[in-house]
Amino acid sequence: MAAEPERIAVVIEDDADIRNLLAAILDQAGFTCYTCESGQEGIAAVRTHDPILTTLDISLPGIDGFEVARQIRAFSSTYIIMLSARDEEIDTLMGLDAGADDYLTKPFRPRELRARIEAMLRRYVTPVQAAAAAATPAPAPSPAAPTTAAPPPEPEKDETGGWLSHNGLRINSDMWLVDLDGAPLELTRSEFDLLLAIMSGNRRVISKDTLALELRGDYASSGYVSDSDRRAVEVHMANLRRKLNDPVASPRYIETVRGVGYRLADSRR
């Protein structure tokens, strides 16, 4: 059995006390942590170390955290938790729109940050795990008498490869892959989680509250969901639709059910 790969994190924070606190929390969570004091140094560290998690302050010397997040997103799918003393909703939305997966205001409780990290890890698929899933042969189908079957549900599921397919869009939760009309599609982990939830739900409507809990890793609970959580879902969904080139007015993949949530769009055959 292949050994679990090393957990790597990058901390981008100009305050030495907070930087050391974050490093200690991540060390306790089993990460090898690299710390940086500036945005440019942080971008270089993410490129060099390919972390699964990056914490990012907004107020940095040189370029701010919003621009750092945008530049990191151009080449990395690292899970970005943005940390800031700014607690206005607009700052949260700007952070998410720049490419962050989560947003936590300072001063934060170490226990809350640790809980968010653990939730992220529950959803994370390592490259080793993805490769193992891809290499595992699928079981041979059991022989069955021919039947007159009803049309397959949406989305179509490839039982031999673990893919969900809909209108030329495919997603594989085991291999952490998405492709659109045969071309690979790069998504953040939050965007991937939203798309997987929508496609797994077939035509069932999924509420923003449910999706917010999914992003937090609380999908089995009925935890509190704030207006900010719902707006975060909207921002991530808007970014996802932009990557899918999926207009709200005539959706090919994700349909908005006004006042309720989202569901898979009609199948196009």
Side-chain angles (χ1 to χ4, degrees), residues 179-219:
D179 64 55
L180 179 60
D181 294 328
L185 185 67
E186 293 293 330
L187 301 180
T188 68
R189 290 189 172 86
S190 295
E191 293 161 0
F192 185 96
D193 288 341
L194 286 178
L195 180 60
L196 181 61
I198 296 295
M199 289 188 68
S200 298
N202 300 327
R203 291 279 289 162
R204 178 172 57 88
V205 179
I206 304 177
S207 69
K208 292 178 185 177
D209 286 13
T210 298
L211 292 173
L213 292 171
E214 182 81 20
L215 293 182
R216 289 211 312 249
D218 296 334
Y219 34 75

Side-chain angles (χ1 to χ4, degrees), residues 148-162:
T148 304
E154 299 178 37
E156 298 174 0
K157 185 168 184 178
D158 176 1
E159 298 291 351
T160 62

Side-chain angles (χ1 to χ4, degrees), residues 1-240:
M1 178 181 294
E4 276 295 305
E6 185 180 18
R7 291 181 180 179
I8 296 176
V10 167
V11 171
I12 309 174
E13 171 62 61
D14 65 334
D15 185 301
D17 291 336
I18 298 177
R19 190 167 62 246
N20 292 335
L21 173 61
L22 289 168
I25 293 171
L26 289 165
D27 180 70
Q28 292 170 4
F31 284 86
T32 297
C33 188
Y34 298 90
T35 60
C36 311
E37 300 179 21
S38 70
Q40 292 290 7
E41 184 184 353
I43 293 168
V46 171
R47 192 182 296 276
T48 298
H49 301 294
D50 191 21
I52 63 173
L53 172 68
T54 299
T55 70
L56 174 60
D57 185 27
I58 289 182
S59 301
L60 294 167
I63 58 176
D64 65 21
F66 299 128
E67 180 58 26
V68 172
R70 280 189 284 268
Q71 292 194 30
I72 288 175
R73 274 292 167 252
F75 65 87
S76 174
S77 62
T78 181
Y79 191 93
I80 298 176
I81 298 180
M82 193 166 273
L83 304 170
S84 177
R86 307 180 189 180
D87 58 0
E88 296 293 327
E89 183 181 16
I90 184 62
D91 295 308
T92 303
L93 300 180
M94 286 176 62
L96 298 174
D97 193 53
D101 294 284
D102 202 354
Y103 190 104
L104 192 59
T105 56
K106 300 176 183 176
F108 59 87
R109 293 174 295 177
R111 182 178 297 177
E112 181 181 4
L113 177 60
R114 180 68 181 269
R116 294 187 186 216
I117 292 171
E118 292 301 327
M120 180 275 295
L121 289 173
R122 286 195 295 271
R123 305 197 307 269
Y124 179 70
V125 177
T126 68
V128 168
Q129 291 169 329
T136 302
S142 302
T147 59
T148 304
E154 299 178 37
E156 298 174 0
K157 185 168 184 178
D158 176 1
E159 298 291 351
T160 62
W163 290 90
L164 292 174
S165 304
H166 183 71
N167 291 342
L169 176 65
R170 302 198 311 156
I171 187 168
N172 190 307
S173 60
D174 294 328
M175 294 188 286
W176 204 268
L177 295 174
V178 179
D179 64 55
L180 179 60
D181 294 328
L185 185 67
E186 293 293 330
L187 301 180
T188 68
R189 290 189 172 86
S190 295
E191 293 161 0
F192 185 96
D193 288 341
L194 286 178
L195 180 60
L196 181 61
I198 296 295
M199 289 188 68
S200 298
N202 300 327
R203 291 279 289 162
R204 178 172 57 88
V205 179
I206 304 177
S207 69
K208 292 178 185 177
D209 286 13
T210 298
L211 292 173
L213 292 171
E214 182 81 20
L215 293 182
R216 289 211 312 249
D218 296 334
Y219 34 75
S221 76
S222 55
Y224 172 73
V225 177
S226 67
D227 288 340
S228 180
D229 291 329
R230 297 183 189 98
R231 286 289 292 135
V233 169
E234 292 172 1
V235 172
H236 287 308
M237 190 65 73
N239 291 335
L240 173 60

